[in-house]
Amino acid sequence: MARAMRTLLCALLFAVIGTAHAQAIDPLPFKDHAEEVRFQKLTAQLRCLVCQNENLADSNAELARDLRHEVFELMQQGKSDEEIKQYLVARYSKFVLYDPPLDRGTLLLWFGPALILVAGALAVGITVRRRSRAASAAKTAAEPGDDW
Amino acid sequence: MNRLLPLFGFLLLVALFGFGIWWNTGHDQREVPSPLIGKNAPDFSLPYLDDPSRTLRKADLLGKPYLINVFASWCVACAEEHPVLMAEGRQLGIPVIGYDYKDDPADAKAWLAQHGNPYDRVIADREGRTAIDFGVYGAPESFLVDAKGVIRYKRIGPFTPELIEQELKPRIAELQREAR
């Protein structure tokens, strides 16, 4: 009995997790599956301006819905993904892109962590070298005494 | 010297995190910078709220600076901003255009009737389609547009008397100097 309950609870839990990942539902008239996939992929790369920690595909905010329709409309007009992104960047700045483009303003964002890692590695390297040198110096200094 | 190294590392981290806190309290993180500042305001043609048969176009407003204030009857922060606009709007010396955003016209009219109308004209964008061109992502938002139709300043969130004194009025004065 207890086991059955546990199984049921697990199943429920997974069901909940499953829905949490579901995308906001829009009855958009996609002409085929490929178009829908492209749409979902594209809106997942764009940030919802209202909630800001959600992408356009997942957000239930009204503006996100409007922008999804806008993206769909632009797709119907034959615009490329890049053109659609540019369209939104022109209105909402680069902030709408989840993947920030590499340019002067984002250099630190892209390479900052690597720089910190390199600095840390250098610090460790220097410390280790200095210590081993000090240790070998101490060893040679101590040698006459305990060599025997 | 070597003993102090961890302390230096610690102090470095403290400085870094301290900078982070200072930086984030200094500005609103949720504010999306407008790429439209310094650029031509998007073309628009929107119906008047009280008379949908008439439209206001961007071209109609060329020639002198004006302020567009995006508001809606459903917007809580707009109700907060409203008394400020009632008190200061007429003294700005430029037309203040109300931009009713994604609103039921009946609600908007009732709202203005109840709270007062600080606007020279009110236009309605029920679909919010033009608002996308303006990069609007909430209400209230305000745009200061110069005589040539270029967006010169944007305020996201409600105006307070202090912000009007410190940010809006000096910019309006600048635009009026330019026009002369």
Side-chain angles (χ1 to χ4, degrees):
Chain A
M1 184 60 206
R3 177 177 281 187
M5 280 294 276
R6 213 178 308 152
T7 319
L8 186 69
L9 271 176
C10 268
L12 272 175
L13 188 66
F14 278 109
V16 169
I17 292 170
T19 51
H21 280 272
Q23 285 172 317
I25 293 159
D26 270 313
L28 287 169
F30 296 108
K31 66 172 189 287
D32 54 26
H33 184 63
E35 191 182 43
E36 185 169 357
V37 168
R38 183 186 157 209
F39 176 82
Q40 296 295 8
K41 229 180 180 168
L42 186 56
T43 49
Q45 290 164 20
L46 297 165
R47 190 194 300 269
C48 163
L49 284 309
V50 183
C51 15
Q52 304 201 347
N53 287 324
E54 260 187 304
N55 60 34
L56 276 189
D58 293 336
S59 173
N60 280 314
E62 206 170 318
L63 179 67
R65 205 198 43 152
D66 288 354
L67 290 178
R68 277 198 297 271
H69 286 248
E70 201 64 32
V71 168
F72 180 72
E73 189 88 354
L74 291 168
M75 279 171 64
Q76 300 310 304
Q77 291 169 20
K79 296 271 196 304
S80 73
D81 287 8
E82 211 38 56
E83 282 168 330
I84 294 172
K85 281 184 189 172
Q86 274 317 309
Y87 175 91
L88 287 169
V89 167
R91 284 156 181 75
Y92 293 102
S93 82
K94 272 178 280 186
F95 192 80
V96 289
L97 303 177
Y98 253 123
D99 198 5
L102 184 56
D103 63 24
R104 238 179 354 158
T106 56
L107 269 182
L108 207 60
L109 188 65
W110 274 88
F111 298 114
L115 275 178
I116 291 174
L117 195 72
V118 168
L122 272 176
V124 169
I126 288 169
T127 312
V128 166
R129 271 234 329 251
R130 209 181 277 162
R131 275 208 193 146
S132 66
R133 209 177 291 159
S136 61
K139 208 173 169 192
T140 40
E143 239 164 310
D146 53 34
D147 194 19
W148 200 64
Chain B
M1 175 62 211
N2 256 345
R3 284 229 180 130
L4 288 178
L5 211 59
L7 182 67
F8 282 133
F10 174 71
L11 289 177
L12 199 72
L13 281 179
V14 167
L16 197 68
F17 292 141
F19 173 77
I21 291 170
W22 173 78
W23 175 254
N24 283 332
T25 46
H27 74 292
D28 184 0
Q29 277 177 288
R30 295 182 56 87
E31 217 164 84
V32 180
S34 177
L36 289 167
I37 290 170
K39 298 221 178 86
N40 244 312
D43 258 320
F44 61 87
S45 171
L46 289 167
Y48 282 80
L49 177 69
D50 49 8
D51 182 4
S53 64
R54 287 168 62 212
T55 55
L56 181 70
R57 278 164 307 185
K58 189 192 162 192
D60 301 334
L61 292 166
L62 284 177
K64 58 179 167 187
Y66 56 96
L67 185 78
I68 296 183
N69 176 248
V70 179
F71 78 101
S73 66
W74 47 259
C75 149
V76 180
C78 300
E80 196 181 298
E81 178 185 59
H82 200 76
V84 179
L85 291 178
M86 286 299 285
E88 307 248 11
R90 301 274 174 208
Q91 287 148 37
L92 292 176
I94 57 169
V96 181
I97 314 285
Y99 187 116
D100 186 30
Y101 174 53
K102 297 194 75 147
D103 210 354
D104 185 324
D107 288 350
K109 279 183 223 167
W111 195 81
L112 288 175
Q114 192 193 337
H115 295 97
N117 185 348
Y119 304 113
D120 291 273
R121 274 162 279 186
V122 182
I123 49 179
D125 183 5
R126 205 166 174 187
E127 306 295 319
R129 180 60 202 75
T130 304
I132 293 178
D133 287 339
F134 271 91
V136 168
Y137 68 96
E141 282 185 17
S142 306
F143 298 86
L144 180 63
V145 184
D146 72 9
K148 293 192 190 98
V150 175
I151 296 178
R152 299 292 287 265
Y153 165 76
K154 178 181 182 185
R155 162 79 191 143
I156 296 162
F159 269 121
T160 58
E162 295 77 43
L163 279 166
I164 287 188
E165 274 317 310
Q166 288 160 16
E167 295 204 354
L168 189 59
K169 281 187 177 169
R171 286 181 167 93
I172 291 175
E174 193 184 320
L175 293 188
Q176 280 163 341
R177 260 201 312 277
E178 272 176 31
R180 237 177 273 139

